[in-house]
Amino acid sequence: MRVNDAVIGILLLAFAIVTFAYARTLPAIPGQEYGAAVFPMLIAVGLGGCGVLLVASGLRHWQGAVVWSDWARTHHSWTKLAVVVGLVMTYILTASTIGFVPVSILVLLIFLMMMRVRWWIAAAAAIATTMLIQQTFGGLLRVPLPLGLLGP
């Protein structure tokens, strides 16, 4: 299944407009020339530009809003898609209780094994990716990731 770029571009452009409008409501930071709205507004402008480019590209190569590919005709592909959605839902529902690190490792390991990666490479990649995300978001950016069972 392939969704035409124009359709995705319209959705991206709509999202950019909503994001930009909401970012304008964020409060200014006292004593700063720029406030909390600057970064979301820059991202919204970038997304809007990408949306416009996608719409232009999609209209040039229009073959219909959706074109069904060969992969969409097999049940294996739909099963993999259902597993990915299930893994995302599992993370959403269990990360706050169990914690980011164990849930992330488990979700990534299951996903990589489903994609037929050797188990030892999948395990190493899941652990390394989780540690990289934990250090980047938890350490550098100070984003509080759920500790769950690992917390105090």
Side-chain angles (χ1 to χ4, degrees):
M1 178 175 82
R2 182 172 180 341
V3 179
N4 188 288
D5 287 345
V7 175
I8 295 171
I10 289 170
L11 293 174
L12 190 59
L13 192 55
F15 179 71
I17 291 168
V18 169
T19 302
F20 191 88
Y22 177 74
R24 292 186 49 89
T25 67
L26 296 173
I29 299 173
Q32 296 285 331
E33 292 182 27
Y34 52 88
V38 171
F39 189 63
M41 287 171 56
L42 287 174
I43 296 295
V45 168
L47 288 175
C50 290
V52 169
L53 292 174
L54 280 171
V55 168
S57 171
L59 292 176
R60 269 195 315 262
H61 306 300
W62 186 264
Q63 294 177 344
V66 177
V67 177
W68 293 93
S69 300
D70 290 337
W71 74 264
R73 293 183 177 93
T74 66
H75 73 280
H76 296 295
S77 298
W78 290 103
T79 303
K80 287 181 180 180
L81 178 64
V83 169
V84 169
V85 170
L87 289 172
V88 170
M89 293 305 297
T90 299
Y91 176 82
I92 290 170
L93 297 173
T94 62
S96 59
T97 306
I98 299 172
F100 169 76
V101 172
V103 174
S104 176
I105 290 172
L106 183 65
V107 164
L108 288 170
L109 183 62
I110 292 170
F111 173 74
L112 291 170
M113 295 289 289
M114 179 186 70
M115 299 305 290
R116 300 186 185 264
V117 175
R118 291 187 199 121
W119 73 267
W120 58 275
I121 294 174
I127 291 169
T129 302
T130 299
M131 293 303 118
L132 179 66
I133 293 169
Q134 172 68 33
Q135 289 304 312
T136 302
F137 286 92
L140 295 174
L141 298 175
R142 305 264 186 229
V143 174
L145 296 172
L147 295 175
L149 300 173
L150 301 176

